[in-house]
Amino acid sequence: MIFVGFGFLMTFLQRYGYSGVGFNFLLAAFGIQWALLLQGWLHCYREGYILIGVENLINADFCVGSVCVAFGALLGKVSPIQLLIMTLFQVTLFSGNEFILLSLLEVKDAGGSMTIHTFGAYFGLTVSWILYRPNLHHSKQPQSPVYHSDLFAMIGTLFLWIYWPSFNSAVSSHGDAQHRAAINTYCSLAACVLTSVALSSALHKKGKLDMVHIQNATLAGGVAVGTAAEMMLMPYGSLIVGFSSGIISTLGFVYLKPFLESRLRIQDTCGIHNLHGIPGIIGGITGAVTAAFANSAVYGEEGLIQAFGLRSKLDSSMQANLQAAGLFISLAMALVGGIIVGLILKLPFWGQAPDQSCFDDAVYWEVPEHERTALRPEHTTLRPPEP
Amino acid sequence: MIFVGFGFLMTFLQRYGYSGVGFNFLLAAFGIQWALLLQGWLHCYREGYILIGVENLINADFCVGSVCVAFGALLGKVSPIQLLIMTLFQVTLFSGNEFILLSLLEVKDAGGSMTIHTFGAYFGLTVSWILYRPNLHHSKQPQSPVYHSDLFAMIGTLFLWIYWPSFNSAVSSHGDAQHRAAINTYCSLAACVLTSVALSSALHKKGKLDMVHIQNATLAGGVAVGTAAEMMLMPYGSLIVGFSSGIISTLGFVYLKPFLESRLRIQDTCGIHNLHGIPGIIGGITGAVTAAFANSAVYGEEGLIQAFGLRSKLDSSMQANLQAAGLFISLAMALVGGIIVGLILKLPFWGQAPDQSCFDDAVYWEVPEHERTALRPEHTTLRPPEP
Amino acid sequence: MIFVGFGFLMTFLQRYGYSGVGFNFLLAAFGIQWALLLQGWLHCYREGYILIGVENLINADFCVGSVCVAFGALLGKVSPIQLLIMTLFQVTLFSGNEFILLSLLEVKDAGGSMTIHTFGAYFGLTVSWILYRPNLHHSKQPQSPVYHSDLFAMIGTLFLWIYWPSFNSAVSSHGDAQHRAAINTYCSLAACVLTSVALSSALHKKGKLDMVHIQNATLAGGVAVGTAAEMMLMPYGSLIVGFSSGIISTLGFVYLKPFLESRLRIQDTCGIHNLHGIPGIIGGITGAVTAAFANSAVYGEEGLIQAFGLRSKLDSSMQANLQAAGLFISLAMALVGGIIVGLILKLPFWGQAPDQSCFDDAVYWEVPEHERTALRPEHTTLRPPEP
């Protein structure tokens, strides 16, 4: 499921659709196998065999989701070999991080706000920071969409939007928690769309909407509700989460993305900081707060034990502290891991494209012949309309 | 599910794809929240809380489906603010109509032929009639598809086609009724495709197929079988329904749509009258007829009670009368409601686009720069090929 | 499900997208009804009624899948009437072949490697051989994709890729076998993507990737694992199957397809020989080998009976022989049936397009006006850039 969504979300660049879909497909296929092996060794190794079930496939999917997020920051600037190496390391780090959070700290993170989105986004941003290309504007292919490529990207958005409730509830325990997760996510997503559209229009000089915000900010609500989705967030709570994450994400696209690029030298092609980074942190905090207010009056005695596994000793404020700790550990792992992997990827023998060939499919793909020749003259003759 | 289908079905206009997908997305997100609240107040209000379950989400989805249908008639001619206002009122009216039909009259309408399609279509058409724009042909953007936009619309068609069996069977009681609904819908849709294609070719002077018929008329079978889907329509019955609705829908596109536009001053952008209006009425009648012939020989004693809740007093002809009454109430609500909402939307301060900017994304969206400038000269220079 | 995938996989031709999607839709709707009737008469005929359940719908779907495969070889060269006639015969032959394999020989073929893919591919290829058009290169529309049409085709690929595990496990008995089928398919597909991409790059002079390989060869793993999916192939086994089928399929696209076309006079538009033909045979052989090694140590006493229905007499080597026999019967039926149907289709009154109108939508479809006129001059003026 995830691959379709993420893949098409990345087709918005006018001459980079093949790579957006294709490389995503490649890293997903590679990442899943590596994640299956790694998670098998960590969790299900019995007498020389790895036991595999549908659970493992879903977990491997989630792990690859995190790599797709990080790929979003690097889209158009890395070679497929660099991508595969990044996938190799990131899956390893992800599995380590997940093991610490879920198994050691017993943090709850059903929708992966922390383990998938926060980790993936800041990992990708750190790698992008290390691989900074100062002359990216020399690229022959503009880093902008065309009409049809935006529509392809909308396929991705709608896919992700529709499957997000299933995504956030996939690993929750069946029954109450799973239902809660789906409904909370649904409400949060719906609220998020409204605020994204409203703000996108309000921030534009002429009140027009920006397709980039619609494609991305509308999904922030799903990210932000990830951790708390299976908890007793209540529909009103998830509406508030969706409402605020839509606002923050759109603001991020308008103000923060240019700032990151010019000042902090972080080039974030898809704007993952605004779609996954900040909403992921919001999600982590929301999870901690919701956990802090968990008590048997809301969940029922039995429900509380089911939801958090809280016995007599661990009370809910302890759980909240652990949730917060999980968020910081994810961030730390992402930053340290990102720097190391970024330095490895900076080594000059991975077949990087030069600056002027970024965002261009023709470097890695056999592009239909007459298009390559046809499109260039068309543009040059048409922009200055007949000299 | 619904949003993807309806959204992409509306991308067929060459310069209105952003709005087709985007506004649909917006009204869906808004409509769902409003429908959840309204239906919660009507049906599930307990001690200050609204109880929400997956059932409610599906019902809210259906309600929004009806708004999407109505949007089809207005596509390209209304501003997003008008759309949101229309959604606000239509969801309210829909909930009222549904309450009368399903709760008071105990009408059966599993696939919503009456509540969703008939109501949505005639509501939209009435609003479109009130908002009649006599100079619509002055629009700078032609109201016609291009090659790729038609392919995008086919994504929508295939999606709707595939999910229609699940759609029609979603709220049926589990077990027999749900199975019946899925199988009947499936048969009806398959029959409908054949007659649509055959008639589309037969009505063309050179025997060519028209993409518009394929995109729309092929779905009419699903609409027409909606009410009767969970009843004992038998596969042969649903084949007949699909067969005839395919014919009527295609005939409607060829003969009725131009007539409506020129004589009755109803501009129906997507042709919803032919896809939802007439097939919806067929569906309502089919439902009444099928209910009239319901007896314990076909359903079994127990099955009859399960299917209709028929006890000793209410016999099957009574149920048939109620079904017919439900159809007329839906139509009446649609016409009266449509006139009122249409008049409200005619107020001049909702940011309507002038006639010449209809069907043009650039009014509401930030459209990629060079396309706007590039596409115009290209067309003008190429149509008269080098003077 | 299948239609979306196959339909969009066939949109890669630049001026044949309408037909790819539309004709596929048409033959699917027709084929399903015919298959329901036929399979109903063969398997579920009771007292004048055909009993229909969800099982039957899935089986009819599979049957149509086989027709879609065969259509791939003929894409762009046959008229819709020829297609319907082919569907009529192929569904009949398919049902006969399936009856012999599954009911008489009790062969296991959960994912249809033999019944669907091998049969469909060689049937289509034989028909294509009979309908050989020596002057196909005179076609006005080149048999090559454009940028956007390749992206549409990727929608199809990703769809098929995602639904393949459900597809291969749909008719397995619930529980263990179904789980095994899904997991084995998943592993095989993931392995197949990696080898396809690697080989596609390795075989290109400049190391570039070819979109055709990514669209097609990545799915070969799902085909090749079809028969053995529900058996105890073990994840390592399915990785090996996916690995090798990815290699063979890509090699087939690069070396075998031109050879077939120039020497054997078989024009295979979509390259189904490499996606369905060879991987189907691999799948049949894998199934036979896996069945040969089936024993109660691996499956457990009870599991063995469940999986194969093996009682005391039929041992596993017997089952392996039957599997191999099933493969040969499928091939023989495909060749003989293909020759007969091909000769019928060669009759001159089915409205075939002349050679120069192949791969052109405008023969059968109402194509948007200004495109037809606009695209031609654009290409001619741009290829020799301003004389």
Side-chain angles (χ1 to χ4, degrees), chain C residues 170-188:
Chain C
V171 293
S172 298
S173 52
H174 295 277
D176 281 5
Q178 198 154 38
H179 266 79
R180 271 206 296 269
I183 293 170
N184 280 332
T185 310
Y186 198 83
C187 293
S188 175

Side-chain angles (χ1 to χ4, degrees), chain A residues 14 145-148 150-152 154-155 157-159 161-163 179 182-183 186-187 190-191 193-194 197 204 207-211 214 218 234-236 239 378-379 382-383 386, chain B residues 1 3-4 8 14-18 21 23 25-26 29-30 32-33 49 52-54 57 61 148-149 152 155 159 163 361-368 370-372 374 377-378:
Chain A
Q14 56 180 295
V146 289
Y147 199 80
H148 286 302
D150 258 346
L151 281 180
F152 275 114
M154 270 312 278
I155 302 179
T157 302
L158 286 174
F159 249 93
W161 204 81
I162 282 174
Y163 283 114
H179 267 79
I183 294 170
Y186 199 82
C187 294
V193 172
L194 291 189
V197 172
H204 189 279
K208 291 186 184 179
L209 298 166
D210 190 331
M211 207 64 188
I214 309 301
T218 49
M234 310 290 291
Y236 291 113
L239 288 178
E378 183 188 43
H379 279 202
L382 285 173
R383 264 184 200 153
E386 276 124 68
Chain B
M1 309 275 147
F3 321 134
V4 179
F8 278 98
Q14 56 183 296
R15 286 285 116 186
Y16 209 65
Y18 284 13
V21 177
F23 292 168
F25 195 25
L26 173 65
F30 174 67
I32 278 174
Q33 295 180 62
Y49 287 99
I52 283 185
V54 171
L57 298 186
D61 249 36
H148 286 301
S149 68
F152 275 113
I155 302 179
F159 249 92
Y163 283 114
D361 268 347
V363 182
Y364 301 114
W365 296 86
E366 189 65 29
V367 173
H370 60 89
E371 299 238 3
R372 244 182 308 169
E378 182 188 44

Side-chain angles (χ1 to χ4, degrees), chain B residues 51-70:
Chain B
L51 306 178
I52 283 185
V54 171
E55 284 278 293
N56 302 57
L57 298 186
I58 294 177
N59 277 326
D61 249 36
F62 279 16
C63 178
V64 166
S66 159
V67 183
C68 294
V69 167

Side-chain angles (χ1 to χ4, degrees), chain A residues 110-111 168-169 172 177 180-182 184-185 225-233:
Chain A
N168 273 355
S169 62
S172 297
R180 271 206 296 270
N184 281 332
T185 310
V225 89
T227 301
E230 61 173 356
M231 304 180 192
M232 266 295 192
L233 183 58

Side-chain angles (χ1 to χ4, degrees), chain C residues 312-335:
Chain C
S312 47
K313 287 179 192 164
L314 273 164
D315 57 342
S316 60
S317 72
M318 182 67 185
Q319 178 72 25
N321 289 338
L322 288 179
Q323 297 281 137
L327 182 60
F328 281 107
I329 292 171
S330 297
L331 278 172
M333 293 278 283
L335 293 177

Side-chain angles (χ1 to χ4, degrees), chain A residues 4-308:
Chain A
V4 179
F6 277 109
F8 278 98
L9 200 53
M10 289 177 186
T11 55
F12 71 95
L13 292 171
Q14 56 180 295
R15 286 284 115 187
Y16 209 65
Y18 284 14
S19 306
V21 177
F23 292 167
N24 210 44
F25 195 25
L26 173 66
L27 75 81
F30 174 67
I32 279 175
Q33 296 180 62
W34 182 229
L36 275 180
L37 278 179
L38 264 184
Q39 298 186 341
W41 285 327
L42 277 174
H43 298 295
C44 328
Y45 196 70
R46 304 273 181 288
E47 300 164 24
Y49 287 99
I50 294 171
L51 307 178
I52 283 184
V54 172
E55 284 279 291
N56 302 58
L57 297 185
I58 294 177
N59 277 326
D61 250 35
F62 279 15
C63 178
V64 166
S66 158
V67 182
C68 293
V69 167
F71 178 36
L74 302 168
L75 185 69
K77 296 173 295 187
V78 290
S79 72
I81 296 168
Q82 283 180 302
L83 265 184
L84 288 180
I85 292 166
M86 191 186 83
T87 307
L88 185 76
F89 285 107
Q90 199 185 342
V91 167
T92 317
L93 284 166
F94 176 91
S95 301
N97 186 42
E98 198 192 24
F99 185 76
I100 296 175
L101 261 66
L102 303 191
S103 302
L104 299 187
L105 299 183
E106 295 192 22
V107 163
K108 290 278 150 188
D109 196 10
S113 291
M114 294 184 279
T115 53
I116 301 171
H117 299 289
T118 309
F119 174 76
Y122 287 98
F123 182 89
L125 290 170
T126 315
V127 172
S128 180
W129 176 60
I130 302 276
L131 297 180
Y132 181 66
R133 287 167 177 264
N135 300 313
L136 201 55
H137 54 277
H138 289 169
S139 166
K140 276 184 294 184
Q141 296 290 349
Q143 195 185 342
S144 64
V146 289
Y147 199 80
H148 286 302
S149 69
D150 258 346
L151 281 180
F152 275 114
M154 270 312 278
I155 302 179
T157 302
L158 286 174
F159 249 93
L160 287 177
W161 204 81
I162 282 174
Y163 283 114
W164 217 288
S166 340
F167 177 85
N168 273 355
S169 62
V171 293
S172 297
S173 52
H174 295 278
D176 280 4
Q178 196 153 39
H179 267 79
R180 271 206 296 270
I183 294 170
N184 281 332
T185 310
Y186 199 82
C187 294
S188 175
L189 281 168
C192 182
V193 172
L194 291 189
T195 48
S196 305
V197 172
L199 208 65
S200 174
S201 173
L203 292 178
H204 189 279
K205 275 166 294 179
K206 294 179 185 164
K208 291 186 184 179
L209 298 166
D210 190 331
M211 207 64 188
V212 173
H213 305 158
I214 309 301
Q215 281 159 11
N216 292 288
T218 49
L219 296 170
V223 174
V225 89
T227 301
E230 61 173 356
M231 304 180 192
M232 266 295 192
L233 183 58
M234 310 290 291
Y236 291 113
S238 44
L239 288 178
I240 293 168
V241 170
F243 188 87
S244 46
S245 59
I247 290 176
I248 292 171
S249 180
T250 313
L251 284 175
F253 272 101
V254 177
Y255 298 113
L256 203 58
K257 200 184 159 196
F259 174 78
L260 280 182
E261 196 156 333
S262 58
R263 296 300 165 83
L264 297 188
R265 303 161 65 93
I266 298 175
Q267 290 155 334
D268 181 4
T269 314
C270 293
I272 58 164
H273 187 239
N274 312 300
L275 170 51
H276 301 279
I278 305 180
I281 293 180
I282 297 178
I285 295 171
T286 313
V289 171
T290 318
F293 286 102
N295 57 54
S296 55
V298 179
Y299 290 81
E301 202 64 57
E302 216 177 318
L304 197 62
I305 293 173
Q306 274 192 349
F308 296 100

